[in-house]
Amino acid sequence: MIVAIQGEPGSFSHLAALQALGPTIELLPRRSFQALFAAVADGEAERGIVPIENTLAGSVHENYDRMRESGLHIVGETQVRVRLCLIVRPGTPLQAVQRVASHPVALKQIQGFLRESPGVQAVAVYDTAGSVADLMKGESDYEGAVASSLAAELHGGEVLLDGIEDNPRNFTRFWVISRQPAVEGIVSKTSVVFTLANVPGALHAALGAFARRHIDLSKIESRPIPGRPWEYRFYLDLRGEAGAGVAEAIEELGTLSTDLAVLGSYEEMAALPQEEDPMPSALPREDDGPPPAPPQVQAR
């Protein structure tokens, strides 16, 4: 299965693809989210992996908008524990690291490390794993990169410090997207987008369609409508099998909204683990025994 991601091999999107779709995928890296959506829409990839929400940084708003505009379907979701590592060229001492590069969101999640390293300057780049790839190719003006241990493993870097993120309860939720809707398997979650007339009680009435049927709403997100100041679209995640109650609620919502689209019905991911470090680093610690076999992934 060809799977499109934004970023390079070793990114957290890559980890999400392995977790959601297995180790035998063929990876199709793309530099931007726009190119990722285009690769799936044009048939270059059978699936795409799209980050949609981080427990610390919040929603990836642009991907909500792209999902609606693309006409693609959500067919699954997964979550990845974001464990950030300081990665260097092998043999580089910590004292030699004066600049560290990563994606801007990752840099926001290592503020404690940066405060404790006053001589270290943060450099924003387009991708976590890409910062490691450029570092190892000698195509960078920085001495360290912040990314996953998988990025170090795949690109030949050395993990100098492991787990430098500010908060260990750091997860990113990803959608699995496809040209076709899910046709088999367990359906326990549905995502919709809708707009409402700007009249008193409109949102209350819309949400009431689900409340009266005791349908759990796991998230609601509002986004401004371009070209229509102070008007909004609402993105809604609801839990429940795609049975009569859910179908009836969505049908009622359609009568109340001025525009409604179902983005996908799919199996909900498992609940977040409760332990502090639920997803260990891809690279073993000294007491973990021999290293695991590297993922069987082809990168285009």
Side-chain angles (χ1 to χ4, degrees):
M1 179 181 289
I2 300 173
V3 181
I5 65 167
Q6 186 274 326
E8 300 293 333
S11 65
F12 291 101
S13 289
H14 181 181
L15 284 168
L18 292 171
Q19 187 167 292
L21 300 171
T24 58
I25 58 174
E26 181 178 349
L27 205 64
L28 185 62
R30 286 293 180 259
R31 193 170 181 88
S32 68
F33 290 124
Q34 182 176 352
L36 183 164
F37 276 90
V40 179
D42 295 343
E44 291 183 83
E46 298 170 69
R47 296 288 187 272
I49 298 292
V50 179
I52 195 64
E53 183 180 14
N54 177 265
T55 52
L56 303 182
S59 297
V60 186
H61 293 121
E62 61 183 293
N63 285 339
Y64 275 99
D65 296 338
R66 286 196 173 95
M67 192 67 217
R68 175 190 173 276
E69 295 162 1
S70 68
L72 299 173
H73 302 270
I74 307 167
V75 296
E77 68 175 359
T78 191
Q79 60 190 6
V80 168
R81 160 77 157 89
V82 180
R83 188 181 183 95
L84 297 172
C85 303
L86 176 62
I87 300 166
V88 297
R89 297 187 186 95
T92 302
L94 182 59
Q95 295 80 1
V97 178
Q98 298 181 345
R99 294 174 295 273
V100 295
S102 194
H103 189 277
V105 174
L107 293 175
K108 289 180 181 179
Q109 296 173 3
I110 61 163
Q111 292 302 302
F113 166 77
L114 293 174
R115 284 193 300 269
E116 294 170 4
S117 309
V120 176
Q121 177 184 353
V123 178
V125 296
Y126 88 102
D127 180 50
T128 56
S131 68
V132 180
D134 290 345
L135 176 67
M136 299 309 299
K137 293 174 186 175
E139 299 176 355
S140 65
D141 60 354
Y142 46 84
E143 299 79 28
V146 176
S148 71
S149 57
L150 178 61
E153 186 175 358
L154 295 180
H155 297 289
E158 177 185 343
V159 175
L160 202 57
L161 296 174
D162 192 0
I164 63 172
E165 65 276 4
D166 295 331
N167 192 318
R169 300 295 290 168
N170 186 3
F171 295 84
T172 296
R173 182 166 67 103
F174 293 81
W175 281 337
V176 183
I177 64 172
S178 172
R179 288 184 302 283
Q180 301 297 328
V183 294
E184 59 183 15
I186 300 171
V187 172
S188 56
K189 194 172 187 179
T190 299
S191 296
V192 301
V193 54
F194 60 96
T195 56
L196 297 169
N198 189 14
V199 297
L203 182 58
H204 180 273
L207 298 182
F210 302 96
R212 286 192 300 277
R213 295 173 175 88
H214 305 287
I215 296 171
D216 182 17
L217 305 183
S218 59
K219 183 173 182 180
I220 183 168
E221 182 94 10
S222 64
R223 296 286 296 135
I225 301 176
R228 293 162 59 179
W230 320 126
E231 295 186 45
Y232 301 88
R233 290 190 180 95
F234 297 92
Y235 291 83
L236 195 66
D237 290 344
L238 58 105
R239 293 190 176 105
E241 297 181 6
V246 170
E248 289 173 0
I250 293 175
E251 183 177 359
E252 181 178 340
L253 178 62
T255 66
L256 299 170
S257 62
T258 56
D259 181 43
L260 169 68
V262 177
L263 300 179
S265 295
Y266 48 95
E267 183 177 0
E268 185 177 16
M269 63 188 176
L272 287 176
Q274 295 303 308
E275 61 268 25
E276 182 173 303
D277 186 13
M279 187 172 181
S281 171
L283 288 180
R285 297 180 177 86
E286 292 181 0
D287 57 352
D288 284 341
Q296 300 299 309
V297 176
Q298 299 174 353
R300 285 191 163 193

